[in-house]
Amino acid sequence: MDGKPADGVAGVIAGGVALGVAELSAAAAGGQQASPLIAVGAAGITLAPEWLKDFAIRHFGTNDKLVLLIGLGAGIAAIAVILGIITRRHPVIGLAGLGALAVLGAVAAVTRPAAGWTAVIPSIVGGLAGMAALALLVRPHDHPRTGQAVGADRRNLLLTGAGAVAVAGASGLGGRLLLERGNVDAARRSVRLPRAASAARAVPAGAQIRVPGMTPFVTPNPGFYRVDTALTLPQVAPRDWTLRIHGLVDHPVELSFDDLLKRPMLERDITLSCVSNQVGGRYAGNARWLGASLAGLLREAGLRSGADQILSRSADGFTVSTPIETIMDGRDALLAVGMNGEPLPVAHGFPARMVVPGLYGYVSATKWVVDLKVTRFATDKAYWTERGYADHAPVKTLSRIDVPRAFAQVKAGRVPVAGTAWAQHRGIDAVEVRVDGGPWRRAELAPVSGLDTWRQWVLEWDATPGSHRLEVRATDGTGAIQPSTRVPPIPDGATGWHSIVVTVT
């Protein structure tokens, strides 16, 4: 390890020691949220401008958080290289730089929602360990004339470097293993869901269009879309979960998970969709949910006059604002505990989440929910409404072509064009398709059991050779036709007709 390149390597090793020791300390001090890497990444998500978040969701989908962590790690490595080189000539500046990174991690951790003062410990301990490693690895050891490490100095340096690498790896792995002990997968598997007091209607025969490549009518749990701000999944054990209902109520309520499971359970098929969906997007899914009536819980709490919003909060501090009128108007708004016949997956809100049909998820579908504050829109703002999104966000009528795929090559002749349309809580009454700007033709609609699920459709097309443009539009249960004008998702959802181009051979 000779010369300036070695100093850069020493900086990276010292950075690894800092992160590894911090990870180990986080396991003892405050869990994943106290990890400086996670805390800084979460702060980055919070502070990022809306155009950047939208770009990440559109281009990386559910991998957006992995891309963030990789980018954050690369940035830290680059800074560590620079600090290692600086430390050779200016030890105080180099070590102070590493200390500043530790302070940044501590501030990010302690300012996380519901964080205690102990959240600073992992960053500080990790920073001190990294500074010590950097001082040892870049200490003066060069020959006075050649500037090269020699003899015992070289051996000591190599041993120190190897030891630092071992500390970084062992502490990081140990921290991960200890954090995994807090994983609630085992607790989730032990949950026995109660039988529904009100079962869902049977899915009618034919709800699934039988065309190869068609979207499943019921979205399997592993394939259900996930869009949220959680850099790491909150791990909330059922024994530790409570739901508090407070604010503008006559009788504040606090429920344990056992209390929740004892309530009458409703089973309903409901489609959820994300406001981030572009026209033709895939951020929508249909599942069978099991949960208690949200309206029933609020009635027991006793809503006071003037209240118009439920400000819900998740275990990681994320907030959602839901219009009270949409919970109390008779729709099947749920505090859900089950999804497609099993306890909620951790990625989808275990142990409990909100599901309110007819609204985009950012105003209705709080995962890992632990707090419901009955309040007013004029008083409290939620995470996304603070960032310019609408506080009332009913789902807009959307339709998409699922088969054939965009830019597909199909053979001339009879070609099935099929897809999905949704307008939750209004329903879909018609879907029309046109080719190359020609006349609209009505598609055949699959049957559905209610207004809160999406609806599949199919049209037989006599395809002729050449390149063709297919477009689709839907009419909802109120008679309103899906608008043609393209509008981006911000502030209350995208509009426009989905279109694809295919080649017929």
Side-chain angles (χ1 to χ4, degrees):
M1 295 179 66
D2 303 330
K4 290 183 179 179
D7 296 334
V9 173
V12 173
I13 294 173
V17 169
L19 290 177
V21 171
E23 195 78 0
L24 185 61
S25 300
Q32 297 184 87
Q33 300 304 316
S35 164
L37 188 64
I38 298 301
V40 171
I45 291 175
T46 299
L47 297 174
E50 301 318 307
W51 66 265
L52 183 57
K53 294 177 184 177
D54 184 60
F55 175 87
I57 291 172
R58 281 191 286 113
H59 289 82
F60 304 120
T62 55
N63 294 317
D64 58 342
K65 298 167 187 66
L66 175 61
V67 171
L68 171 63
L69 287 175
I70 291 173
L72 187 58
I76 291 173
I79 294 172
V81 168
I82 295 170
L83 291 177
I85 294 172
I86 290 174
T87 303
R88 167 72 58 188
R89 291 182 177 273
H90 307 285
V92 173
I93 296 176
L95 294 174
L98 193 54
L101 290 178
V103 171
L104 176 64
V107 171
V110 80
T111 53
R112 294 288 293 152
W117 69 268
T118 55
V120 306
I121 293 175
S123 296
I124 299 304
V125 172
L128 291 173
M131 292 167 69
L134 186 59
L136 287 171
L137 290 168
V138 193
R139 71 185 187 277
H141 56 268
D142 295 343
H143 188 282
R145 289 194 301 273
T146 66
Q148 301 294 314
V150 295
D153 288 333
R154 184 188 299 236
R155 287 193 297 273
N156 289 339
L157 181 60
L158 290 172
L159 288 172
T160 301
V165 170
V167 168
S171 56
L173 178 61
R176 274 291 106 196
L177 291 175
L178 287 174
L179 286 171
E180 284 297 319
R181 293 177 61 184
N183 190 294
V184 298
D185 283 343
R188 175 182 173 273
R189 289 192 295 270
S190 70
V191 171
R192 296 293 176 264
L193 296 177
R195 293 177 62 88
S198 174
R201 297 176 183 174
V203 175
Q208 176 68 57
I209 294 293
R210 301 298 177 183
V211 172
M214 186 58 189
T215 301
F217 177 76
V218 176
T219 310
N221 290 355
F224 206 95
Y225 79 95
R226 178 197 163 205
V227 177
D228 54 51
T229 64
L231 199 54
T232 57
L233 295 176
Q235 304 289 320
V236 184
R239 67 176 181 276
D240 300 325
W241 182 87
T242 58
L243 177 73
R244 182 179 173 225
I245 304 175
H246 62 106
L248 298 176
V249 297
D250 296 325
H251 314 289
V253 173
E254 189 165 297
L255 288 176
S256 69
F257 191 65
D258 285 342
D259 293 334
L260 178 57
L261 293 186
K262 291 175 183 175
R263 297 185 67 85
M265 289 285 142
L266 310 179
E267 184 184 60
R268 298 292 185 266
D269 294 332
I270 299 171
T271 294
L272 299 185
S273 54
C274 181
V275 73
S276 298
N277 237 351
Q278 300 288 332
V279 173
R282 300 284 161 173
Y283 295 139
N286 185 51
R288 176 160 289 187
W289 306 93
L290 178 73
S293 167
L294 265 176
L297 283 166
L298 295 180
R299 288 192 191 97
E300 290 179 20
L303 298 175
R304 292 183 182 173
S305 176
D308 60 7
Q309 174 192 199
I310 300 298
L311 186 73
S312 53
R313 181 172 59 82
S314 70
D316 64 348
F318 179 76
T319 52
V320 167
S321 58
T322 307
I324 286 179
E325 63 195 38
T326 62
I327 297 175
M328 308 301 292
D329 66 1
R331 72 186 71 191
D332 293 314
L334 304 177
L335 185 61
V337 295
M339 181 178 181
N340 288 333
E342 62 181 67
L344 290 171
V346 175
H348 294 290
F350 179 80
R353 67 172 294 165
M354 288 173 56
V355 175
V356 182
L359 301 179
Y360 285 116
Y362 84 96
V363 292
S364 68
T366 315
K367 294 182 281 193
W368 315 290
V369 63
V370 294
D371 190 272
L372 300 179
K373 180 183 179 182
V374 180
T375 181
R376 300 183 179 94
F377 283 107
T379 303
D380 291 297
K381 298 288 186 183
Y383 181 93
W384 285 114
T385 51
E386 283 183 330
R387 289 159 174 79
Y389 281 77
D391 50 22
H392 287 61
V395 169
K396 295 182 178 179
T397 302
L398 283 178
S399 57
R400 72 181 186 211
I401 300 169
D402 295 341
V403 180
R405 302 293 184 187
F407 307 113
Q409 288 190 350
V410 299
K411 293 183 178 180
R414 203 80 158 162
V415 174
V417 180
T420 312
W422 58 88
Q424 295 95 304
H425 209 58
R426 300 187 305 280
I428 295 294
D429 275 3
V431 171
E432 298 170 290
V433 178
R434 71 177 179 181
V435 180
D436 298 329
W440 289 101
R441 293 179 55 201
R442 281 218 172 192
E444 178 186 347
L445 293 178
V448 288
S449 56
L451 300 178
D452 292 334
T453 68
W454 57 16
R455 194 166 192 178
Q456 298 192 347
W457 55 269
V458 64
L459 174 78
E460 295 294 333
W461 169 43
D462 292 319
T464 58
S467 178
H468 299 282
R469 181 183 184 87
L470 308 178
E471 292 176 285
V472 63
R473 70 181 185 184
T475 301
D476 69 21
T478 70
I481 299 175
Q482 179 180 344
S484 61
T485 304
R486 284 273 180 147
V487 172
I490 299 173
D492 61 355
T495 64
W497 296 338
H498 185 217
S499 65
I500 64 169
V501 173
V502 297
T503 300
V504 180
T505 58

